[in-house]
Amino acid sequence: MNEITVFPILQEQQQQQEESTRQPVDIGALREKLAAGRGPAFWRTLDEAAETPELTEYVEQEFPGLSGQIPEGVDRRSLLKVMAASLAMAGAAACTKQPKELIVPYVRQPENVIPGLPLFYATATTTNGYARGLLVESHLNRPTKVEGNPDHPASLGSTTIYEQASTLSLYDPDRSQTVMKEGRISNISEFTGALSSEAQSIAGRKGEGLAILTGATTSPTLMAQMNAILAQWPAAKWYVHEPGVNPAVKSAANKIAGKNAFIAYDFSKADVVVSLESDFLNSGPAALVYARQFAAKRGIDKGQEPVRLYAIESSPSVSGSLADHHLAVKSSAIPAIAYQLAAKCGVSAPAAGADVPWVAAVAADLQKHKGSSIVIPGEFQPESVHLAAYAINAALGNVGTTVKLLEGVEPEGTHSLEDLANDLNGGHVETLLILAGNPVYAAPATLNFEGAIKKARMVVRLGQYFDETSRWSHWHVPEAHYLETWSDARAFDGTATIMQPLIEPLYAGKSVHEILTILLAKPDNSSHDIVKANWQAGYKGGDFDAMWKTSLHNGTVDGTAAAVIAAGPAVALPALGTSEANFEIVFRPDPTVGDGSWANNGWLQELPKPQTKVTWENTVYVSTRDAEAQKLSEGDVVKITVNGKSVTGPVFVVPGHAAGSATIFLGYGRTNSGHVGTGIGYNAYAIQDGATPYVAVGAMVKTGDKVKLANTQEMQTMADRAPVRAAEWTEFKEHPNFPTAEEPSVPKELTLYPNQWTYEGYKWGMSIDLNICTGCSACAIACQAENNIAVVGKDQVTRGRHMHWIRIDRYYSGNLDTPEIYNQPVPCMHCENAPCEVVCPVAATVHSQEGLNQMVYNRCVGTRYCSNNCPYKVRRFNFYLYSDWQTESMWGMRNPDVSVRSRGVMEKCSYCVQRIQEAKINTEKQGRRIRDGEILTACQQVCPTQAISFGDLNDPNAKVTKQQALQRNYGLLDDLNTRPRTTYLGYVKNSNEALRGQRG
Amino acid sequence: MSEVKLSEHPEIHGALVEFDTPEDLIEACEKAYSAGFRKMDAYAPMPVDGLAEAIGYKKNKVALCALCGGIFGAIGGFSLLQWITNVAYPHNVGGRPTNSWPAFIPITFECMILCTALVGVFSMLAMNGLPQPYHPVFNVEAFRRASIDKFFLCIESSDPKFEPKETTEFLESLGGRGVEIVPA
Amino acid sequence: MANQLELEDKIIPDPGEKANIAPGFDYASVTEKITGVVYLPFKKSPKKWLVGIFTAFCFVNLLMFCIWTLFIRGTGIWGINIPIGWGFAIINFVWWIGIGHAGTLISAVLFLLKQDWRTAINRFSEAMTLFAVACAGMYPILHLGRPWLFYWLLPYPNSMWLWPQPRSPLEWDVFAVSTYGTVSIVFWYVGLIPDLATMRDTAPDLWMRKIYGLASLGWRGSAIHWHRYQKIYLILAGIATPLVLSVHTIVSFDFAVSVLPGWHTTIFPPYFVAGAIYSGFAMVLTLIIPLRAWYNMRDVLTLRHIDSACKLMLGTGLIVAYGYGLEAFFAWYSGDKYESFMYWNRVTGPYWWSYVLLIMCNILIPQALWSKKVRHNIIAVWFISIVVNIGMWFERFVIVVTSLHRDFVPSSWGMYTPTKWDWGTYAGTIGFFMMLIFLFVRLLPAISIFEERETLHHEAKHAAHAVQEHA
Amino acid sequence: MAQLFRPSANSLAKIAIGGALILVCSTIGIAYVIDRGPWITDVGVAPVQPIYFSHKHHVKDDGIDCRYCHSSVENSSSAGIPPTETCMSCHSQIWNNATVTEPIRQSWATGKSIEWTKVHDLPDYVYFNHSIHIAKGVGCSTCHGQINEMPWVYKVNTLYMNWCINCHRNPGAYLRPKSEVFNMDYQMPANQASLGAQLVKENHVQSLTDCATCHR
């Protein structure tokens, strides 16, 4: 009978939802929250924020035509455009009067908040439940930029793309802003009342019929709360769903240890690594640590032999792009290969399939490196592979050295989404609390969760967006962003972090703790109280407040690291079923928007996917062979069918992809994801089978349609040029100067002009080590966050107008089936003989005394000549007014130290000049020179493998100086005598003689 | 010595005679010149070689002015650029020296051409006393064809030898047609 | 004064390739003939003229609309992107500037070379130059990201103490194009003064006479004025010749000074200049062939003129062909991988069709002009002249687009597709150009009258000499 | 033929030409003067403020140091505008019921900020940092003028780019000993040339004219 009541509501719900998203956020409220944001240093951004008529006028006079244009297709601003143009004309009349501007000081200025000086707070965010420590930059209580916390074991100072993008999500105007009751705007007290009274009846039922669904979590506080609830109501049930997590990983670990455990690897001791379709450098709770350790082992400049990586995977992953040997096999064939490898390494494994000769060589190599090798199973491989991998590691004596069993930090005894669906359908659930995730969208189609959810009498949904699930929930409560609330979480190694808010909830969002506390009959407790109380309760030591303060300050809680535990009794490898499919469909979270929770994040949508460089949609990866067989080329739409259900999507032919396999990506095809993420791409969940969620038997048929992909890199090969220069480890030992061996760089004296410019003071330069660049693209998005780079949208990307200041070029070489894959990050080269500067008629781009190639937006008239004459094509042009000057909530997000660009001006990488200037001012005040490492560019700071180094080339001890002195250092296109300040270190791979040539 | 007698016939601009071909006109001019007349002017609907010389016109200063203009333009242009790049705001542009003189040549050249042309043309107009919409010779109806197909010689009253009667007779003796007194 | 034009139905025959002007003309009748076009009462204007100017006017409105949209929304409405930062705007700029070269060339160079046949077409082609330069001059401003700040390219004292950057070829353009425009106007106006005087004295009604009278600055044909006049005219011709060469040289520097393969080449200046003259003459023919028919002026715009123009086209066309040849040669001989790839990509890459069109229009088809028959077949000449105009446009398209779209780093290669706004703006400037031409022939003597008189005079002289030698 | 124009036309024509020239020049001249004049630059124009706050009174008569209110001037890009709290620290005691100070009490009571009108206002694309200028010995009054003589504060300099550059090219001419930075009545000594040179050396003052010094 609920359906009947819910259905009519839906119509209104949609309208409501659309209206509520269309309504501009209440800037008054925002201002209240940001009361701090009224300080003087804030004049710049806040008065933009206060977009008064004077301001618009003022802006017009300073940046004529600023509000001139936004990308096509947005009509509600047409008036503004016209206004802008007329004002722009006014701007032409050189002499214009500055309008009146206001200063809005504090009434009571908070302690230690000094206008103009940013503060950094330690906190953490969670990915699939595991913590990643962060330092968040706050300008007058507005979080503007996220950095990794160097002291946090799971971050080491780096982050992935998601942490970087999270600031945009915080200020996303599409976030739900009010409590909704059956689609109508309600308020929090009404909700609290309703849930409290519901709690009464639940109590009456001893919790019977109460179902609580959370995401994967490691939060001690949340677990304490849940345990309390389960204790007071034994019949209640806790379900956990995380679409991007394969439960087999956990179950395998638990089986091996005989208890709750986590398998951690130590790459700093590994000489040979075999990846069984694992993207260990880019995904998983410890990816950043692994990347750092792996990169260190791959370092060759001290003469040690670099780690050798064998990647066995169906489609090239970020980690796979660094592999020395690459075996492209179907995902479903990997268990068999794992077993063969196990057998060859002396593990008693059931016979599995025909021998793959390649495996023998790998096994031999592993045997050579007992105790210093790692076999790492894929995140989405079945339990058998995880067990086999551990068995191999055990057999090779890696356990204890490179492989560790740690106490698990995730809760035990929780139920899965399948259980929930069954319970719902069985009518066992009356009250359903969905405290995370978006199951109506992100559940395998076979569960038909949309049907199941209607069976519950009361569905409460806590979420940041009014999305697919909210539409079917009786109550929707806006969820607080992690930067808005208190919580806690633990890293893969157990280390706990107390997550502190950087800003009051912008839209009165609630945390999961604040919902659960209602069930615990303490509805008024704030997150802060709950979290603090929980820690206080569990704290044995003396001065709690001191511990609390230091923990907050450091971003970690001492003594919380998990203990190493011994393995339980050996687990026999289960026999394999007829695993290998004739044609398999592989399901993976999208490389940028993940499981779909990031769908409304413009930065992630526009971030080129590491392998394909496609933006704004998910494609179907197919192998070159299948492409030939079906005459498929980039953009051809195919129909993917898995037991009866099918979706259509454009293909992308991926060299190095396994034949007989197609990889499709979750996270797209959202129907309720706000203005950015709705209605793009196909929804892979719609054909996902709960039984075989990650690889399924299926079919792929060409439909005949073709679409244009928003692809930022059309050319796949290096076209007989050598932007990336690579060598074998053996060659490198003989010719350490291999990158410049063929084309020696142009002699400096080869010029008509006497060089009158000597860079005596500072001399900034950058060095990028191609050998350890995984192409994860964190640098691109960190740059976007630091430098207020605009999002241009799919149409503009398709026209070749994306704005990234640093792009990651990806080249293939060798044969089509198993090619070499190279990644090359390309920022501005800051050439000493910059071709762009010479051709600018208004001196809008000139060199600084320190050799920076400065781009002066406010002087630029937009001839685009500089870009034409830039051999590296690193310049980006504002063809329209790309920067969003209209959306109020966005103003808070911008970095106040970087101009927001207007229409018609050129922009490009500035080496993060704002950071350079800040450092110079600080050191000048202290009367000293800048030390190496004191300035980190955004891309350098975020890089998980530390592939980018930046510094003063006049400082002989600077890392960058040393790197540029290396023999494998070379400048891109330096035969043009542009004398780039950004140089590269050649790529060296350490392949196995036994297999040489087989990797292509 | 012309100014001596200027005021003698204030009401008369001069005497005008009409010819059909440039050759006749030149011949007449030479006669008049040898007869001692100096203050006279010949009018033709198109440039006629030797006509100006025939009435004793020698030095033409237009070229000189144009030359000066050119020199001024070249020097001005080049020094402007040097000043901009070395004095006004010296920038490091693509590693090039502030004095990148080869790059300044095009603009220098254009400035030279521009000044040559403008100075030359304006000096021409100035020397010709143009614009001058009103001129006594227009008083003569027949003179209308001076811009179409007829050729005129006018001896002006400011000439010391000018005497209305004699001069008119003299002009008639030149074989021209329709000798007329041009009222001032 | 029986107005020739009243007998428009009676087609006046062409005196053939020897004659600059049909026999039987005297000073008066040639004056009457040429001014007659202007004095023709509006009601009597040829239908074709009315239709033509109206169509042109519609295109001018299209131009206005495109420019308005551009200013409101930004250069994003065009097909340009990164890497192809320059598209139609610069292509058309170079194309128009090229067309704008014939005028000054005909009036200056041919004047210095004492080519008497120039008189019939110099006035007209000078006008054409001005209008073409007007069209060209629009583009560098329109193509700016922030067009309202174009004055930052001019050296003027400002509160920022900033000045233009004189190493940039675009800055050179500012000076070159403005100088060229100014000098062309001056040259044209100086040439007009005596004819304006003529019209002052012949115009049918008083207000016309007053207007032309003012415009003629009171010119009265004094011998001494003529003397100075000829001197300055000679000087102008003398400086306009290097000027016309320098302007297109500098335009070619926009490309030649860059580092781009396909742009960075020393052959550009000469071959751009040749191309400019080539397209200029083509445009002159495209325009005067219909005009001389409409206004029945075959007796003053004779086969002689068309024939000579064709020969010049043939010559310059061959220089251009030589330029293309050298580009190919450089690509091979330089051994530079970027150069050779660029050329290969031009010929076989995605824009191969534009290169084929270019060769067809600029090299193959015009070879027909070797044949006298073709040169004397007015329709054929007209067709070829149009083909050459198209070809020269494609030359610029090939240079701009195919060089930019695949340069050094393969990862940032791209494609260029013009939008409706690109086409609209282009069509708009053509309309603007045509409208000015139509107005010009209606308001001013399209042929230099006093120089026609000179021609008559000289021919009379020659005749006299001939007689004497006979005796 | 009949004359088309009267003899006066000749003089008229020539006058017209001259006139046109004069007109063009004077227009440019006038425009320039206006552009540099107070109407555009606001130099010497004191805007009306929500409170009749006299720097003259507080600084000169009461001898309050700049940094008492503009507290972050030495360590931040922004000098800092005092919060109402700072005003109240005195005016809760003195003049605590005067009408002049009413807006302060209002703000204190309601928690609503006092909205001052900005006097020294740089374009948004200019990044100025107070602390470094103070640290290098640029006095307050060098840019702001003798605030201690201003009942209502007004601009004494245009704050135009050429004005900034003027000092950035030759800082020595404007520097003073660090001890004198906050001295509002400081007058440049006769030996400024030598003193400046010495200060430049001591405080390691550079002539920074790179674009990125101010524009980012």
Side-chain angles (χ1 to χ4, degrees), chain A residues 414-429:
Chain A
T414 58
H415 305 272
S416 73
L417 191 66
E418 286 76 359
D419 306 339
L420 177 55
N422 298 336
D423 293 351
L424 280 164
N425 293 326
H428 309 310
V429 178

Side-chain angles (χ1 to χ4, degrees), chain B residues 60-70 112-128, chain C residues 186 190 228-229 231-233 235-236 239:
Chain B
N60 184 337
K61 296 217 183 53
V62 173
L64 183 64
C65 300
L67 176 67
C68 301
M112 178 183 76
I113 298 287
L114 184 64
C115 295
T116 317
L118 294 182
V119 173
V121 168
F122 285 118
S123 60
M124 180 273 282
L125 293 178
M127 292 181 199
N128 290 353
Chain C
V186 169
V190 168
R228 299 198 182 103
Y229 179 92
K231 177 66 94 189
I232 193 60
Y233 200 79
I235 291 170
L236 283 178
I239 59 172

Side-chain angles (χ1 to χ4, degrees), chain A residues 242-255:
Chain A
E242 199 65 61
V245 173
N246 173 8
V249 181
K250 189 102 200 80
S251 60
N254 295 1
K255 272 190 186 161

Side-chain angles (χ1 to χ4, degrees), chain A residues 69 721 801 809 839 864-865, chain C residues 73 78 85 168 254 407 411:
Chain A
Q69 170 61 358
R721 296 136 197 235
R801 297 171 179 177
D809 292 347
V839 296
R864 301 181 297 284
Y865 199 172
Chain C
R73 295 177 48 192
W78 290 344
S168 166
D254 287 348
D407 64 346
S411 68

Side-chain angles (χ1 to χ4, degrees), chain A residues 233-557:
Chain A
W233 299 327
K237 283 172 95 180
W238 179 7
Y239 305 83
V240 171
H241 173 54
E242 199 65 61
V245 173
N246 173 8
V249 181
K250 189 102 200 80
S251 60
N254 295 1
K255 272 190 186 161
I256 290 159
K259 58 195 272 207
N260 189 1
F262 180 91
I263 303 178
Y265 301 88
D266 182 352
F267 287 84
S268 61
K269 299 200 192 70
D271 297 319
V272 175
V273 177
V274 178
S275 150
L276 300 164
E277 201 172 57
S278 168
D279 194 5
F280 60 101
L281 296 178
N282 193 44
S283 69
L288 293 170
V289 184
Y290 295 167
R292 188 70 60 94
Q293 295 171 338
F294 186 83
K297 279 299 283 184
R298 211 176 149 89
I300 49 174
D301 300 311
K302 291 182 197 66
Q304 89 271 23
E305 178 170 0
V307 56
R308 175 177 299 146
L309 171 60
Y310 298 90
I312 306 172
E313 50 192 9
S314 59
S315 94
S317 66
V318 164
S319 315
S321 68
L322 276 188
D324 302 289
H325 291 285
H326 190 281
L327 181 65
V329 296
K330 290 182 191 165
S331 187
S332 53
I334 285 176
I337 290 177
Y339 277 27
Q340 288 174 26
L341 194 61
K344 292 197 172 43
C345 294
V347 179
S348 62
D355 261 20
V356 181
W358 197 84
V359 175
V362 176
D365 202 11
L366 281 171
Q367 296 285 7
K368 272 200 238 94
H369 296 89
K370 287 182 182 294
S372 67
S373 54
I374 292 177
V375 177
I376 182 166
E379 299 77 29
F380 297 101
Q381 285 298 322
E383 199 173 277
S384 55
V385 175
H386 288 263
L387 295 172
Y390 186 82
I392 298 170
N393 285 321
L396 293 170
N398 295 336
V399 176
T401 58
T402 59
V403 181
K404 284 198 206 69
L405 274 175
L406 299 176
E407 278 175 345
V409 293
E410 287 184 68
E412 284 183 289
T414 58
H415 305 272
S416 73
L417 191 66
E418 286 76 359
D419 306 339
L420 177 55
N422 298 336
D423 293 351
L424 280 164
N425 293 326
H428 309 310
V429 178
E430 275 198 67
T431 315
L432 170 60
L433 268 62
I434 302 174
L435 301 180
N438 179 8
V440 170
Y441 162 75
T446 46
L447 297 187
N448 180 19
F449 201 83
E450 185 172 328
I453 194 173
K454 297 178 203 158
K455 304 270 191 344
R457 181 171 51 77
M458 180 184 188
V459 180
V460 174
R461 200 303 165 84
L462 178 70
Q464 284 185 17
Y465 294 89
F466 193 97
D467 56 18
E468 294 85 347
T469 305
S470 307
R471 293 183 57 210
W472 294 102
S473 309
H474 303 81
W475 285 96
H476 166 85
V477 182
E479 182 184 13
H481 189 271
Y482 78 89
L483 290 170
E484 290 175 334
T485 183
W486 290 85
S487 184
D488 52 10
R490 302 182 69 180
F492 72 98
D493 77 339
T495 309
T497 297
I498 295 162
M499 299 157 65
Q500 54 178 332
L502 271 285
I503 186 171
E504 282 279 314
L506 293 173
Y507 310 123
K510 292 289 160 194
S511 75
V512 57
H513 307 303
E514 288 165 325
I515 302 297
L516 290 177
T517 194
I518 300 174
L519 294 181
L520 292 168
K522 302 193 201 69
D524 304 332
N525 286 12
S526 72
S527 297
H528 176 262
D529 309 338
I530 300 164
V531 173
K532 192 164 184 179
N534 182 56
W535 280 94
Q536 191 142 22
Y539 185 60
K540 308 276 174 298
D543 181 350
F544 172 76
D545 287 329
M547 165 272 190
W548 180 256
K549 274 203 171 57
T550 38
S551 307
L552 288 180
H553 174 272
N554 301 343
T556 56
V557 185

Side-chain angles (χ1 to χ4, degrees), chain B residues 88-89 134-135 138 140-141, chain D residues 1 3 5 10 14 169 209:
Chain B
Y89 208 135
Y134 172 92
H135 193 277
F138 291 136
V140 180
E141 181 55 33
Chain D
M1 73 187 194
Q3 287 282 3
F5 303 94
N10 291 350
K14 294 182 173 71
R169 283 196 177 150
T209 54

